[in-house]
Amino acid sequence: AAAIWAALPSAASVPEVVDSGGLFTAEELSALRAAVHEAAAATGCGFSVVTYRSAGAYDSYIGEQYLREYGLSDTDDLVLLIITEENDQYYYDLYLYGKASRRITQAEANAVLDAGSVYGPIKSGRVLDGASAFLSLAAAEYNNRTYERSPYLKALPAALLIALVIGVAACILVKVS
C-alpha cells in the first residue's frame, strides 16, 4: 500500500483517513487505516476516507476540494469515501478518480453504496463497520469480483434465460400452427 501512495503526488501529505468529523476513536482509526491499506494493496488504487461533522462543510465540490488540498488531480487513481454527520444523521458519498472512474461504473458505485453492509451500519452510526465494508466492496468491484448484491440482481441472468427459452418455444409453436 505504501508504494501506491508513493505513486500519488505529494504522497507524504495524502492521508488515508481524514477524521475532521471526529467520528472515530484512536482504535477505530487504526482499524480503518488497516482496511484502507488492504483495499489499496488488493487493487493498486489509492483509497481515502474523509469525515465531516456538519453538512455545511459538504457540497457538490467536496471531492475536488480534497484533491486540491492534498495536491492531487482527477487523473490520480483514487476512491474517496466522504462521510458526514449532522444531528445524529449520517450521510455518505463516493468519488472516483483516474482509473477508478473507468473501472467502477455509476451503477456499480451505487450498488456498493446501497449494500446492506454499508448503508445500514453507516446510517445507524456504526461508521467503522460501514466504511470497512465499503472499502472491501469497492476494492472487489474495482477488481471486477462479485460481491453482495440484491437477490433480484443475482436471479436476473436465470430469469432472462428462462424468458428467452419461453420466447423461442412460443415462436416455434406459432410457426408450427
Side-chain angles (χ1 to χ4, degrees):
I4 293 157
W5 285 104
L8 293 173
S10 308
S13 65
V14 179
E16 295 94 346
V17 179
V18 179
D19 189 23
S20 298
L23 303 183
F24 301 111
T25 65
E27 280 182 5
E28 290 172 330
L29 281 171
S30 179
L32 188 55
R33 284 188 183 102
V36 167
H37 283 218
E38 186 176 318
T43 61
C45 175
F47 283 77
S48 287
V49 177
V50 180
T51 70
Y52 293 98
R53 187 57 81 172
S54 167
Y58 185 75
D59 65 29
S60 62
Y61 302 105
I62 200 159
E64 288 77 11
Q65 292 169 5
Y66 175 85
L67 294 177
R68 279 192 308 274
E69 185 173 343
Y70 293 103
L72 301 169
S73 78
D74 60 2
T75 60
D76 290 314
D77 198 14
L78 179 66
V79 175
L80 175 60
L81 175 64
I82 306 285
I83 303 171
T84 305
E85 184 273 330
E86 185 170 358
N87 299 323
D88 293 324
Q89 296 289 314
Y90 294 85
Y91 308 93
Y92 61 103
D93 207 353
L94 161 66
Y95 296 86
L96 302 168
Y97 299 101
K99 282 191 280 185
S101 67
R102 295 182 298 281
R103 292 188 65 146
I104 301 175
T105 67
Q106 188 61 51
E108 292 163 342
N110 289 338
V112 168
L113 292 171
D114 293 340
S117 59
V118 175
Y119 179 86
I122 290 177
K123 288 296 191 174
S124 66
R126 295 186 343 267
V127 180
L128 175 63
D129 294 341
S132 297
F134 165 85
L135 291 164
S136 176
L137 295 176
E141 196 57 61
Y142 186 95
N143 288 331
N144 294 318
R145 289 187 291 238
T146 58
Y147 65 91
E148 155 192 357
R149 291 191 190 261
S150 160
Y152 302 111
L153 289 177
K154 288 179 183 176
L156 186 61
L160 290 173
L161 180 61
I162 292 168
L164 177 64
V165 169
I166 292 171
V168 169
C171 288
I172 292 171
L173 288 175
V174 168
K175 274 193 164 192
V176 171
S177 36

